[in-house]
């Protein structure tokens, strides 16, 4: 039943028999040279020129005022929430259709997530569902918004740009501004995605990116916080470097911080990857175009970028008719050596987050049961 699709993917990647991964990095001589330069400098850990260069490159590419490198995207989310003011006992509104790092970072702050539904077009948090939940469950006080049932402070909202497709971020930002919620963008998957002339991650007060091995560019492991607020950036850097006070030799710390610094070796890799980024994005859009055309020709449903947005197409996605068809597709493709994956198990279906407050989540559950990700690597001739 799915043989024709498997043959198409093998032809797309010019791979007749070997396993085809979901998303493999493109790397080579530039990355080797950069890492060698970091080794020659003797600065291989958390201090070095490549960290500063990588931060500057991400800030320049996204248009953010400041960028702060971290050891991974989860660490970036944790620090972003802390500097956004999230405190123990707070509630943070987010989406259940997300990688678990989003909720875990909220939990690390001693806060709890509140789940609202997502939009079918963007796969990201629905501003309508957000507004409806607030109207039904929140009240405004002089110091901010509070959950009427529990009395807990509603501190922030964390939408995710799912699979690299931009959420309806302008509308979400408007709702957050109206209710006094701090907007923290989980842009982990969306480097190279835009809404109009704004890069994802730069609309809210703070945004984060991930450079895990399966992202558009990688540092092996790494993350980045972006913001236009200089004081917020300085505090993020301070917290992520164990809250150590500057001093030529003394180890003095003024609060509990975190050892979330990105090593210079990883940053060197990232600097080299940034030189590839335009080509990688162009190749990934070409791959997405091929998928879209094949799906149109064969009557399949391909997940397109939202109207008015430009997606990086980090992971291409198809939507199946039902869960049984999805499961049959996953079994057939993986048995044939073509890696495919479902979306994440929604957070409200996991035992640690099952009791969290939530709105009705019909679109979240429908998408989780029917969407599959298919091989999405940039083709090897890039770079």
């Amino acid at each position: 039943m799915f043989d024709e699709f498997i043959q198409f993917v093998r032809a797309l990647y010019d791979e007749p028999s070997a396993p085809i991964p979901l998303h493999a990095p493109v790397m080579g001589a530039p990355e080797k040279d950069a890492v060698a330069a970091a080794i020659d400098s003797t600065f291989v850990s958390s201090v070095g020129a490549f960290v500063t260069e990588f931060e500057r490159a991400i800030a320049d590419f996204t248009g953010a005022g400041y960028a702060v490198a971290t050891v991974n995207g989860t660490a970036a989310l944790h620090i972003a929430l802390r500097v956004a003011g999230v405190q123990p006992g707070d509630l943070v509104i987010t989406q259940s259709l997300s990688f678990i790092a989003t909720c875990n970072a909220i939990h690390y702050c001693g806060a709890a997530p509140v789940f609202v539904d997502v939009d079918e077009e963007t796969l990201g948090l629905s501003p309508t569902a957000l507004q409806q939940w607030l109207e039904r469950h929140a009240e405004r006080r002089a110091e901010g918004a509070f959950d009427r049932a529990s009395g807990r402070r509603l501190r922030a909202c964390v939408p995710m740009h799912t699979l690299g497709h931009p959420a309806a971020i302008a509308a979400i930002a408007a709702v957050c501004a109206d209710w006094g919620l701090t907007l923290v963008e989980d842009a982990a998957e969306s480097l190279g995605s835009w809404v109009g002339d704004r890069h994802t991650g730069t609309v809210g007060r703070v945004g984060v990116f991930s450079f895990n091995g399966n992202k558009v560019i990688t540092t092996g492991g790494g993350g980045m916080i972006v913001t236009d607020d200089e004081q917020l950036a300085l505090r993020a850097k301070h917290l992520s470097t164990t809250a150590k006070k500057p001093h030529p030799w003394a180890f003095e710390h003024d609060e509990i911080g975190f050892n979330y610094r990105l090593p210079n070796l990883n940053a060197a890799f990232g600097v080299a990857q940034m030189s590839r980024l335009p080509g990688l994005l162009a190749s990934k859009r070409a791959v997405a175009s091929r998928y879209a055309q094949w799906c149109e020709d064969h009557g399949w449903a391909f997940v397109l970028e939202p109207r008015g947005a430009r997606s990086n197409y980090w992971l291409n996605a198809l939507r199946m008719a039902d869960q049984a068809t999805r499961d049959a597709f996953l079994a057939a493709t993986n048995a044939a050596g073509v890696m495919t994956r479902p979306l994440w198990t929604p957070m409200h279906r996991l035992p640690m987050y099952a009791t969290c407050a939530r709105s009705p989540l019909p679109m979240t559950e429908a998408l989780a049961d029917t969407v599959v990700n298919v091989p999405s690597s940039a083709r090897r001739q890039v770079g």
Side-chain angles (χ1 to χ4, degrees), residues 32-298:
K32 292 178 182 178
D33 291 344
V35 170
I39 292 171
D40 289 343
S41 76
T42 74
F43 290 96
V44 298
S45 191
S46 57
V47 176
F50 283 110
V51 174
T52 302
E53 185 176 353
F54 187 44
E55 290 173 336
R56 185 180 304 114
I58 292 294
D60 289 346
F61 182 82
T62 62
Y66 305 92
V68 178
T70 63
V71 71
N72 55 50
T74 307
L77 274 167
H78 183 199
I79 294 294
L81 290 164
R82 282 289 302 270
V83 299
V86 175
Q87 300 175 20
D90 285 347
L91 296 177
V92 176
I93 302 176
T94 189
Q95 57 198 72
S96 179
L97 191 67
S98 179
F99 180 55
I100 197 169
T102 312
C103 282
N104 283 351
I106 293 169
H107 182 76
Y108 298 161
C109 294
V114 173
F115 301 122
V116 300
D117 211 3
V118 296
D119 280 334
E120 183 173 19
E121 182 184 19
T122 69
L123 312 183
L125 190 144
S126 165
T128 301
L130 174 63
Q131 179 68 31
Q132 289 175 345
W133 189 90
L134 288 166
E135 289 176 350
R136 292 170 183 167
H137 298 280
E139 64 182 22
R140 304 172 194 266
R141 300 180 189 171
E143 58 270 42
F146 287 78
D147 175 50
R148 283 198 296 268
S150 66
R152 298 170 73 174
R153 176 74 181 266
L154 290 158
R155 184 77 63 173
C157 176
V158 185
M160 185 177 76
H161 299 290
T162 309
L163 306 182
H165 297 299
I169 197 65
I172 293 169
V175 176
C176 289
D178 182 41
W179 284 87
L181 303 175
T182 301
L183 177 57
V184 177
E185 290 181 71
D186 184 346
E189 302 166 356
S190 65
L191 184 67
S193 297
W194 304 77
V195 180
D197 62 353
R198 296 292 297 272
H199 195 287
T200 55
T202 67
V203 177
R205 188 171 183 213
V206 61
V208 303
F209 296 97
S210 170
F211 308 110
N212 189 39
N214 64 352
K215 295 301 191 293
V216 176
I217 68 165
T218 182
T219 59
M224 193 74 73
I225 301 164
V226 295
T227 182
D228 287 335
D229 186 324
E230 181 181 14
Q231 293 306 309
L232 188 149
L234 290 172
R235 175 150 173 75
K237 175 70 80 171
H238 185 62
L239 282 177
S240 67
T241 54
T242 67
K244 183 180 181 295
K245 296 171 64 176
H247 194 280
W249 61 81
F251 287 89
E252 296 182 2
H253 307 261
D254 56 12
E255 61 180 309
I256 296 174
F258 306 90
N259 192 3
Y260 284 170
R261 301 166 292 183
L262 181 69
N264 200 45
L265 278 177
N266 298 76
F269 201 101
V271 168
Q273 286 271 286
M274 284 298 290
S275 69
R276 296 184 186 271
L277 184 54
L280 292 171
L281 292 170
S283 176
K284 288 177 66 59
R285 287 190 69 82
V287 168
S289 178
R290 291 280 297 277
Y291 274 121
Q293 187 62 59
W294 190 92
C295 288
E296 183 178 343
D297 293 343
H298 291 79

